[in-house]
Amino acid sequence: MGDAFAWLEDSAVAEAIRGTAYLYPILESIHIIGIALLVGPAVSFDLRLLGLGRQALRVTTAANWLLPLSHVGFMIAAVTGVAMFLPGASVIADRGSAPWKLGLILLAGVNILIFHRHTYRGVAGWDMSRSAPLAARFAAVVSLMSWSGVTVAGRLLAYT
């Protein structure tokens, strides 16, 4: 695996990021904006699944407004995250929090897939004024925990 990381570090993109003044901190700033656009709406949607605003806001309305923002945020965070990984791939991959961050991103993705392929299909029965089913509330808790863990693990990449 070390050869792959060395290859990434020697790539033209990695060299450009290393060699361009202020590019890395700009990428970090854009990455944080992406995280905010991902996690903020996701947390809001999860809280709606857990019952907050049940009398005032349909689950489908929350999904239609919040989830597209999360998708944009994920794309921004993913692209900038990969770009920041390239210049120091072997060092970052060796950090203790790296497998946690990647594992929690995977967990969040699987959770989203299961929720939308199964639980959300029955949303018409619990869209407004009713408690979301246990599976939806469980998905919300997993989402809240996994995205929080991704954020913490990401910060720990600088220190572990």
Side-chain angles (χ1 to χ4, degrees):
M1 197 61 125
D3 290 339
F5 294 138
W7 179 81
L8 290 172
E9 291 173 344
D10 292 337
S11 69
V13 175
E15 290 290 336
I17 292 168
R18 263 194 306 277
T20 304
Y22 304 111
L23 183 54
Y24 197 90
I26 289 168
L27 287 170
E28 280 184 311
S29 298
I30 295 169
H31 189 68
I32 291 168
I33 292 167
I35 292 167
L37 285 172
L38 163 63
V39 176
V43 166
S44 297
F45 183 70
D46 293 336
L47 291 175
R48 173 56 190 91
L49 290 177
L50 291 172
L52 189 68
R54 183 173 56 216
Q55 301 300 326
L57 182 64
R58 292 184 179 282
V59 172
T60 51
T61 302
N64 290 339
W65 283 94
L66 296 170
L67 298 184
L69 287 173
S70 275
H71 299 156
V72 169
F74 179 79
M75 292 307 299
I76 292 169
V79 168
T80 55
V82 168
M84 291 187 304
F85 175 75
L86 294 176
S90 58
V91 172
I92 294 170
D94 198 37
R95 300 278 165 88
S97 60
W100 286 98
K101 181 174 182 174
L102 293 176
L104 289 167
I105 290 170
L106 181 62
L107 174 63
V110 169
N111 184 51
I112 290 166
L113 184 67
I114 292 169
F115 175 77
H116 284 285
R117 292 247 169 119
H118 298 285
T119 309
Y120 191 71
R121 288 183 179 216
V123 72
W126 46 273
D127 195 18
M128 183 76 174
S129 300
R130 291 190 53 208
S131 292
L134 181 59
R137 288 180 282 151
F138 180 76
V141 170
V142 170
S143 174
L144 289 166
M145 292 173 57
S146 59
W147 289 121
S148 295
V150 167
T151 303
V152 170
R155 285 307 307 138
L156 287 173
L157 283 175
Y159 305 104
T160 60

Coordinates of all heavy atoms in Angstrom, one line a residue, residues 58-92:
R58 N -43.5 18.3 7.5 CA -43.6 16.9 7.0 C -42.1 16.4 6.8 O -41.2 17.2 6.5 CB -44.3 16.9 5.6 CG -45.7 17.2 5.6 CD -46.3 17.1 4.2 NE -47.8 17.3 4.3 CZ -48.7 16.5 4.7 NH1 -48.3 15.3 5.1 NH2 -49.9 16.8 4.7
V59 N -42.0 15.1 7.0 CA -40.7 14.5 6.7 C -40.3 14.7 5.3 O -39.1 15.0 5.0 CB -40.7 13.0 7.1 CG1 -39.4 12.3 6.7 CG2 -41.0 12.8 8.6
T60 N -41.2 14.6 4.4 CA -40.9 14.7 2.9 C -40.5 16.1 2.6 O -39.6 16.3 1.8 CB -42.1 14.3 2.0 OG1 -43.2 15.0 2.5 CG2 -42.3 12.8 2.1
T61 N -41.1 17.1 3.2 CA -40.7 18.5 3.0 C -39.3 18.7 3.5 O -38.4 19.3 2.8 CB -41.7 19.5 3.7 OG1 -43.0 19.2 3.2 CG2 -41.3 20.9 3.5
A62 N -39.0 18.2 4.7 CA -37.6 18.3 5.2 C -36.6 17.7 4.3 O -35.6 18.2 4.0 CB -37.6 17.7 6.7
A63 N -37.0 16.5 3.8 CA -36.1 15.7 2.9 C -35.8 16.5 1.6 O -34.7 16.6 1.2 CB -36.7 14.4 2.6
N64 N -36.9 17.1 1.1 CA -36.8 17.8 -0.2 C -35.9 19.0 -0.1 O -35.3 19.4 -1.1 CB -38.2 18.1 -0.7 CG -38.9 16.9 -1.2 OD1 -38.4 15.9 -1.5 ND2 -40.2 17.0 -1.2
W65 N -35.9 19.7 1.0 CA -35.1 20.9 1.2 C -33.7 20.6 1.7 O -32.8 21.3 1.3 CB -35.9 21.9 2.2 CG -37.0 22.6 1.5 CD1 -38.3 22.2 1.5 CD2 -36.9 23.8 0.7 NE1 -39.1 23.1 0.8 CE2 -38.3 24.1 0.3 CE3 -35.9 24.6 0.3 CZ2 -38.6 25.2 -0.5 CZ3 -36.2 25.7 -0.4 CH2 -37.5 26.0 -0.8
L66 N -33.6 19.7 2.7 CA -32.4 19.5 3.4 C -31.4 18.5 2.7 O -30.2 18.8 2.6 CB -32.6 19.0 4.8 CG -33.4 20.1 5.7 CD1 -33.8 19.4 7.0 CD2 -32.5 21.3 5.9
L67 N -31.9 17.4 2.2 CA -31.0 16.4 1.6 C -30.2 16.8 0.4 O -29.1 16.5 0.3 CB -31.8 15.1 1.4 CG -32.4 14.5 2.7 CD1 -33.0 13.2 2.5 CD2 -31.3 14.4 3.8
P68 N -30.8 17.6 -0.5 CA -30.0 18.1 -1.6 C -28.8 19.0 -1.2 O -27.7 18.9 -1.8 CB -31.0 18.9 -2.5 CG -32.3 18.3 -2.2 CD -32.2 17.9 -0.7
L69 N -29.0 19.7 -0.1 CA -27.9 20.5 0.4 C -26.8 19.6 1.0 O -25.6 19.8 0.8 CB -28.3 21.4 1.6 CG -29.1 22.7 1.2 CD1 -29.7 23.4 2.4 CD2 -28.3 23.6 0.3
S70 N -27.2 18.5 1.7 CA -26.3 17.5 2.2 C -25.5 16.9 1.0 O -24.3 16.6 1.2 CB -27.0 16.4 3.0 OG -27.2 16.9 4.3
H71 N -26.2 16.6 -0.1 CA -25.5 16.0 -1.2 C -24.4 16.9 -1.8 O -23.3 16.5 -2.1 CB -26.5 15.6 -2.3 CG -27.5 14.6 -1.9 ND1 -28.7 14.5 -2.5 CD2 -27.5 13.7 -0.9 CE1 -29.5 13.6 -1.9 NE2 -28.7 13.1 -0.9
V72 N -24.7 18.2 -1.9 CA -23.8 19.2 -2.4 C -22.6 19.2 -1.4 O -21.4 19.2 -1.8 CB -24.4 20.5 -2.6 CG1 -23.4 21.6 -2.8 CG2 -25.4 20.5 -3.7
G73 N -22.9 19.3 -0.1 CA -21.9 19.4 0.9 C -21.0 18.1 0.9 O -19.8 18.3 1.0
F74 N -21.6 17.0 0.7 CA -20.8 15.8 0.6 C -19.8 15.8 -0.6 O -18.6 15.5 -0.4 CB -21.6 14.5 0.5 CG -20.8 13.2 0.4 CD1 -20.3 12.7 1.5 CD2 -20.6 12.7 -0.8 CE1 -19.5 11.5 1.5 CE2 -19.8 11.5 -0.9 CZ -19.2 11.0 0.2
M75 N -20.3 16.3 -1.7 CA -19.4 16.3 -2.9 C -18.3 17.3 -2.7 O -17.1 17.0 -3.0 CB -20.2 16.7 -4.1 CG -21.2 15.7 -4.6 SD -20.5 14.0 -4.8 CE -19.3 14.4 -6.1
I76 N -18.6 18.5 -2.1 CA -17.5 19.5 -1.8 C -16.5 18.9 -0.8 O -15.3 19.0 -1.0 CB -18.1 20.8 -1.2 CG1 -18.9 21.5 -2.3 CG2 -17.1 21.7 -0.7 CD1 -19.8 22.6 -1.8
A77 N -17.0 18.3 0.3 CA -16.1 17.7 1.3 C -15.3 16.6 0.7 O -14.1 16.4 1.0 CB -16.9 17.3 2.5
A78 N -15.9 15.7 -0.1 CA -15.2 14.6 -0.7 C -14.0 15.0 -1.6 O -12.9 14.6 -1.5 CB -16.1 13.7 -1.4
V79 N -14.4 16.0 -2.5 CA -13.4 16.4 -3.5 C -12.2 17.1 -2.8 O -11.0 16.9 -3.0 CB -14.0 17.3 -4.5 CG1 -13.0 18.1 -5.4 CG2 -14.9 16.5 -5.4
T80 N -12.5 18.0 -1.8 CA -11.5 18.8 -1.1 C -10.7 17.8 -0.2 O -9.5 18.0 0.0 CB -12.0 20.0 -0.4 OG1 -13.1 19.5 0.5 CG2 -12.6 21.0 -1.3
G81 N -11.4 16.9 0.4 CA -10.8 15.9 1.3 C -9.7 15.1 0.5 O -8.6 14.9 1.0
V82 N -10.1 14.6 -0.6 CA -9.2 13.8 -1.4 C -8.0 14.7 -1.8 O -6.8 14.3 -1.8 CB -9.9 13.2 -2.7 CG1 -8.8 12.7 -3.7 CG2 -10.8 12.1 -2.3
A83 N -8.3 16.0 -2.2 CA -7.2 16.9 -2.6 C -6.2 17.1 -1.5 O -5.0 17.2 -1.7 CB -7.8 18.2 -3.1
M84 N -6.7 17.2 -0.3 CA -5.9 17.5 0.9 C -5.1 16.2 1.3 O -4.0 16.3 1.8 CB -6.7 18.0 2.1 CG -7.2 19.4 1.9 SD -8.0 20.1 3.3 CE -9.2 18.9 3.7
F85 N -5.7 15.0 1.0 CA -5.0 13.8 1.3 C -3.8 13.5 0.4 O -2.8 13.0 0.8 CB -6.0 12.6 1.1 CG -5.5 11.3 1.3 CD1 -5.2 10.8 2.5 CD2 -5.2 10.4 0.2 CE1 -4.7 9.5 2.7 CE2 -4.7 9.2 0.3 CZ -4.4 8.7 1.6
L86 N -3.9 13.9 -0.9 CA -2.8 13.6 -1.9 C -1.4 14.0 -1.5 O -0.5 13.2 -1.5 CB -3.2 14.2 -3.2 CG -4.4 13.6 -3.9 CD1 -4.7 14.3 -5.2 CD2 -4.3 12.1 -4.1
P87 N -1.2 15.3 -1.0 CA 0.2 15.7 -0.8 C 0.9 14.9 0.4 O 2.1 14.8 0.4 CB 0.1 17.1 -0.5 CG -1.2 17.6 -1.0 CD -2.1 16.4 -0.9
G88 N 0.1 14.4 1.3 CA 0.7 13.7 2.4 C 0.0 12.3 2.7 O -0.2 11.9 3.8
A89 N -0.3 11.6 1.6 CA -1.1 10.4 1.7 C -0.5 9.4 2.7 O -1.2 8.8 3.5 CB -1.2 9.8 0.3
S90 N 0.8 9.1 2.6 CA 1.4 8.1 3.4 C 1.4 8.5 4.9 O 1.1 7.7 5.8 CB 2.8 7.7 3.0 OG 3.6 8.9 3.0
V91 N 1.6 9.8 5.2 CA 1.6 10.2 6.6 C 0.1 10.2 7.1 O -0.1 9.7 8.2 CB 2.1 11.7 6.7 CG1 2.0 12.3 8.1 CG2 3.6 11.7 6.3
I92 N -0.8 10.7 6.3 CA -2.2 10.8 6.8 C -2.8 9.3 7.0 O -3.5 9.1 7.9 CB -3.1 11.6 5.8 CG1 -2.6 13.0 5.8 CG2 -4.5 11.5 6.1 CD1 -3.2 13.9 4.8

